[in-house]
Amino acid sequence: MPAPTAWLRAELADEPYVLGVLQPFVQGASDGWELALGELAKGEDFAAEARSLGRATAEVHVALARALPTTTLGHAQLERLVDGMTERLDAAAQAVPALRPYVPGLHSAFTALADLAAEGETWTAQRIHGDLHLGQCLYSPSGEWSLIDFEGEPSRPLAERRMPQPPVRDIAGMLRSFDYAAHSATPAAPGWADVCRAAYCSGYAEVTGSIRGRIRSCSAPTRRTRRSTKSCTRHGIGLIGWRCRCRRYGACPTRRDVSPAHPPPFLTPPLTPPRRPRP
């Protein structure tokens, strides 16, 4: 994709912000959520598209790691991550009473994440998409995926969205999105989601060479991936209930071919989020 053609910056309280970016229009692109639902309705397989999307996600992560700083999350950093996940779980349970019976078990699961660090485990963190799901992806007529809306979760503080995150967070968000799509069908199609998740992870590994440190298997996820998937699920539940309602936000994409030598200006610093309805 050509570099952004223009962008708008501002200084607010001595802090630089990028307020807007102008990029080429992707002619004829399909929204990933609508595309997936359409294939489901026709009873069509989505594995090839899911595999291609996994490759696109990995290419984004690799490019961002080359273009922007990375860091290692140790015990202290993971404890803060657990605190944030726990806070969001409690807020989600308050908003959705049906979650409350599961809160103690989820609290234990999040605590186990901090235990990984105590055992010497670490995570590599970097700039990621931060809010990845099918509704954040455009599929071009040529069969290529574009990822859009890199401002992160609009409900989270800007400082938090600027922080490096483990790439597994994006992966978990997409795995959840396949499941949401499958359960939006009538009847639900959990087997369709299983196939898509496996294909997505395979495509991701085709680019990175392995998915160690991110996710080893979609059918048997690591403790890390289970924590991230639960965190993503709580985020969705807390905002829209049990069902994802992705919307197409237009076709002004930030595509996957980020140049390590010339990262897009809106990634340093990141975009101030626009006011948009959440999927």
Side-chain angles (χ1 to χ4, degrees), residues 90-111:
D90 293 340
Q94 183 69 27
V96 183
L99 276 179
R100 293 172 187 170
Y102 304 98
V103 168
L106 289 170
H107 278 162
S108 297
F110 299 152
T111 301

Side-chain angles (χ1 to χ4, degrees), residues 115-127:
D115 293 341
L116 287 174
E119 296 167 4
E121 291 271 0
T122 60
W123 263 351
T124 298
Q126 62 169 80
R127 286 302 301 271

Side-chain angles (χ1 to χ4, degrees), residues 59-69 256-264:
E59 288 168 9
V60 167
H61 288 162
V62 170
L64 290 175
R66 290 173 179 168
L68 299 167
R256 65 177 187 258
D257 39 330
V258 179
S259 167
H262 304 286

Side-chain angles (χ1 to χ4, degrees), residues 168 172 175 214-215 221-230:
V168 70
L175 299 185
R214 289 177 167 87
I215 178 173
T222 65
R223 281 186 287 174
R224 296 178 178 195
T225 308
R226 286 196 294 268
R227 306 302 177 267
S228 292
T229 304
K230 288 169 182 174

Side-chain angles (χ1 to χ4, degrees), residues 199-218:
Y200 178 83
C201 293
S202 295
Y204 192 99
E206 288 172 7
V207 173
T208 61
S210 72
I211 36 184
R212 186 175 180 273
R214 289 177 167 87
I215 178 173
R216 298 189 186 113
S217 167
C218 292

Side-chain angles (χ1 to χ4, degrees), residues 31 45 59 64 68 78 91 114 119-121 136 180 199 205 224 240 242 249-250 260:
D31 171 89
D45 182 73
E59 288 168 9
L64 290 175
L68 299 167
L78 285 175
E119 296 167 4
E121 291 271 0
Q136 304 281 42
Y180 276 6
R224 296 178 178 195
I240 54 93
W242 291 101
Y249 297 148

